């Protein structure tokens, strides 16, 4: 695996520039200049957008951009690829409705889902395909957690387990609080392919 920045390109289109792009270097790199790369969707393993802070509008724009990138990287149908898609924000998000914004950015399509968000030291969001309590599919919900001073560690650990999904990494307790993070759950939202209704005043701001 290699970490860089750059673009995902297929025959018909190209992504916008990605802040952090992790790719499998066993696939050919289409173009490389330092850490700037152009890669094919098949090579992509993770895409991460990094922000210092986000307003509600900036958050939705970032999620929509990531959705576009994820849709290109993951592909469609039975050959859909597993790609970690994350938004990392250094400062705490101080407004409500993070999960509704994530659902809206997905636009009803599973391949557009942003599955991890870290904001400030304690806010963490994960999209679960399986029920975290039982391990049973299908579950398909975003969970938002308040993890005191541990959100960034959870984000990093989920990225590592995605890239190297083995038992040794999964058992590494340094990343986790003593209690399950589910006791720190503050909100959840099921993905069902239908768009949530955003507040009229927010839609008006988007049209300006």
């Amino acid at each position: 695996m290699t970490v860089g920045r750059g673009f995902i390109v297929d025959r018909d289109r190209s992504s916008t520039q990605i802040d952090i792009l992790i790719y499998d270097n066993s696939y050919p790199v289409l173009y490389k200049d330092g850490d700037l790369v152009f890669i094919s969707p098949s090579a992509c393993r993770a895409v991460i957008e990094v922000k210092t802070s986000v307003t509600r509008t900036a958050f939705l724009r970032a999620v929509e951009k990531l959705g576009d990138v994820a849709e290109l990287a993951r592909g469609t149908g039975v050959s859909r690829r597993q790609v970690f898609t994350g938004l990392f924000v250094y400062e705490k998000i101080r407004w409500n409705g993070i999960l509704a914004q994530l659902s809206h950015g997905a636009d009803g399509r599973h391949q557009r889902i942003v599955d991890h968000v870290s904001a400030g030291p304690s806010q963490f969001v994960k999209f679960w395909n399986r029920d975290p309590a039982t391990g049973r599919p299908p579950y398909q919900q975003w969970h938002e957690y308040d993890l005191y001073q541990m959100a960034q560690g959870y984000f990093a650990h989920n990225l590592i387990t995605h890239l190297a999904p083995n038992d040794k990494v999964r058992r590494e307790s340094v990343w986790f609080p003593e209690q399950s993070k589910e006791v720190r759950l503050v909100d959840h939202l099921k993905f069902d392919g239908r768009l949530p209704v955003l507040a009229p005043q927010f839609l008006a701001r988007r049209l300006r």
Side-chain angles (χ1 to χ4, degrees):
M1 298 292 174
T2 300
V3 180
R5 59 188 175 89
F7 301 83
I8 301 169
V9 181
D10 69 7
R11 276 186 296 182
D12 302 316
R13 57 179 172 154
S14 170
S15 72
T16 53
Q17 184 165 339
I18 302 158
D19 291 336
I20 299 176
L21 180 59
I22 301 177
Y23 58 97
D24 184 344
N25 50 25
S26 67
Y27 288 82
V29 175
L30 306 177
Y31 173 83
K32 182 174 175 62
D33 182 9
D35 66 348
L36 176 67
V37 294
F38 288 64
I39 64 168
S40 66
S42 298
C44 184
R45 293 294 174 267
V47 293
I48 301 170
E49 183 84 355
V50 180
K51 300 289 185 184
T52 301
S53 62
V54 285
T55 63
R56 189 186 297 268
T57 301
F59 183 88
L60 182 56
R61 286 176 180 162
V63 167
E64 289 175 334
K65 172 187 171 179
L66 278 168
D68 292 342
V69 172
E71 192 167 30
L72 175 58
R74 288 173 175 151
T76 58
V78 295
S79 60
R80 192 164 64 204
R81 293 171 288 272
Q82 299 298 313
V83 177
F84 180 101
T85 305
L87 176 59
F88 187 96
V89 185
Y90 282 99
E91 295 182 7
K92 179 180 179 179
I93 294 173
R94 301 185 181 278
W95 41 267
N96 297 324
I98 292 174
L99 303 188
Q101 298 283 64
L102 288 167
S103 182
H104 193 83
D107 196 25
R109 301 197 293 279
H110 196 278
Q111 62 268 33
R112 292 182 55 87
I113 286 172
V114 175
D115 43 37
H116 295 83
V117 178
S118 175
S122 303
Q123 287 175 295
F124 179 68
V125 176
K126 178 179 173 70
F127 183 82
W128 294 95
N129 283 302
R130 294 174 176 268
D131 187 331
T134 66
R136 295 174 185 166
Y139 188 68
Q140 300 198 340
Q141 291 194 32
W142 285 278
H143 282 198
E144 181 182 351
Y145 304 94
D146 182 8
L147 304 171
Y148 180 69
Q149 301 291 325
M150 297 196 72
Q152 294 162 354
Y154 266 99
F155 187 91
H157 184 264
N158 276 267
L159 175 59
I160 292 168
T161 55
H162 172 79
L163 297 173
N166 58 67
D167 289 341
K168 183 177 180 181
V169 172
R170 293 179 185 278
R171 291 196 301 263
E172 184 53 72
S173 61
V174 69
W175 303 98
F176 298 97
E178 292 181 3
Q179 293 176 305
S180 165
K181 66 177 175 298
E182 294 309 310
V183 303
R184 299 161 191 258
L185 182 69
V186 297
D187 198 7
H188 63 94
L189 180 66
K190 184 173 179 60
F191 173 78
D192 61 5
R194 290 177 295 183
L195 284 174
V197 178
L198 296 184
Q201 63 270 26
F202 178 60
L203 289 174
R205 285 200 299 271
R206 290 190 65 204
L207 293 173
R208 291 174 186 170

